[in-house]
Amino acid sequence: VDAAGNAYVTGPLSPPSTLTTTPGVLYPAQSTTPDVSSYLAKLDQNGNLVYLTYMIGTTQVIAADASGNVFLAGNTADVHGRIFVAEVNATATKLLYYQTFGDPIPPNASVSWDQAYAIAVDGQGYVYVEGMTSSKDFPVTQGAYQTTNPSYSCIFILKLNPKTSQIVYGTYLGSGYLGIGGFGVDGAGNVYIAGFGTIPVTTHAYESTSKVGDSFIAELNAAGSALVYSAYFGAGITAIAVDAPGSVY
């Protein structure tokens, strides 16, 4: 939902689909070239349909900026199943940005091991994507907090500049199977992650050792180079919210 009360809706589709798209949109029909397997809709504050378009890939998460541009992440719907990040303009008539990340689906696997679970956009237009990856060569950047994936599965965090197609930073976080419980960005660009699994903890952590059923919560600095804090929390966390000054709920 944007500041004007418009709601944006997306999700995957199974072919054949019979959605009635609005005139002039980016993808008026479902197709395999490109791999159009999702939809994107905008509703105004009164519930009226502003636009409806098919959308490239299998979309999982969505965010909108103050101008009404929409940012989406998911997996490509072809045989490769890589993570994609896309930006669509405010009228859903133009694809402004599209980039893929991660490894293709491994041989004999039915689904991709790389998944995008959260996306956010800040006031400067930078886009943040969080998810899970099994890739050993995910696009981490120089000076990133964690530059290697030490296990079969790992959290990734990307900060992107769609205007220049630049990866501002990319980093891994933790090791082993980690579940995603929440994600947020404050006004200074610090990133907050909640979930469960094994991560390093910082000095004076609320809980420094993990017990069965514990979750973790962590803050990554705006450069993606260090943890501001990281701690275990003696309960499951399924969602978090972050306000502009950086308080976490």
Side-chain angles (χ1 to χ4, degrees), residues 32-195:
T32 56
T33 308
D35 55 324
V36 176
S37 302
S38 297
Y39 71 92
L40 170 63
K42 178 179 179 179
L43 306 173
D44 68 19
Q45 59 184 341
N46 296 314
N48 300 308
L49 182 66
V50 178
Y51 64 68
L52 173 61
T53 180
Y54 286 98
M55 189 58 207
I56 197 166
T58 302
T59 305
Q60 294 169 310
V61 288
I62 186 172
D65 68 12
S67 300
N69 295 337
V70 177
F71 302 83
L72 308 108
N75 289 90
T76 58
D78 57 15
V79 296
H80 302 296
R82 303 179 74 203
I83 291 168
F84 78 85
V85 181
E87 179 184 2
V88 177
N89 71 342
T91 54
T93 56
K94 186 175 182 180
L95 187 65
L96 302 177
Y97 170 82
Y98 182 83
Q99 195 165 355
T100 60
F101 305 93
D103 290 337
I105 297 174
N108 303 318
S110 59
V111 296
S112 175
W113 292 355
D114 290 359
Q115 300 283 332
Y117 290 141
I119 190 168
V121 57
D122 67 19
Q124 288 72 51
Y126 292 107
V127 177
Y128 304 78
V129 184
E130 181 207 29
M132 300 290 298
T133 182
S134 60
S135 301
K136 301 295 184 182
D137 57 353
F138 209 78
V140 296
T141 48
Q142 186 175 6
Y145 168 69
Q146 183 175 320
T147 57
T148 59
N149 179 358
S151 186
Y152 55 86
S153 182
C154 195
I155 290 173
F156 74 82
I157 302 162
L158 291 170
K159 180 178 180 179
L160 308 170
N161 184 347
K163 294 180 177 63
T164 63
S165 298
Q166 175 195 11
I167 300 175
V168 180
Y169 70 72
T171 183
Y172 293 110
L173 177 64
S175 64
Y177 179 80
L178 295 103
I180 307 298
F183 180 75
V185 181
D186 69 17
N190 300 308
V191 171
Y192 301 80
I193 311 104

Side-chain angles (χ1 to χ4, degrees), residues 160-246:
L160 308 170
N161 184 347
K163 294 180 177 63
T164 63
S165 298
Q166 175 195 11
I167 300 175
V168 180
Y169 70 72
T171 183
Y172 293 110
L173 177 64
S175 64
Y177 179 80
L178 295 103
I180 307 298
F183 180 75
V185 181
D186 69 17
N190 300 308
V191 171
Y192 301 80
I193 311 104
F196 61 90
T198 302
I199 62 168
V201 296
T202 49
T203 305
H204 307 304
Y206 175 73
E207 287 186 9
S208 57
T209 56
S210 176
K211 301 183 292 293
V212 175
D214 278 4
S215 296
F216 70 80
I217 185 164
E219 178 186 354
L220 182 71
N221 71 354
S225 59
L227 287 178
V228 179
Y229 71 78
S230 175
Y232 291 107
F233 189 77
I237 300 175
T238 57
I240 61 172
V242 183
D243 63 21

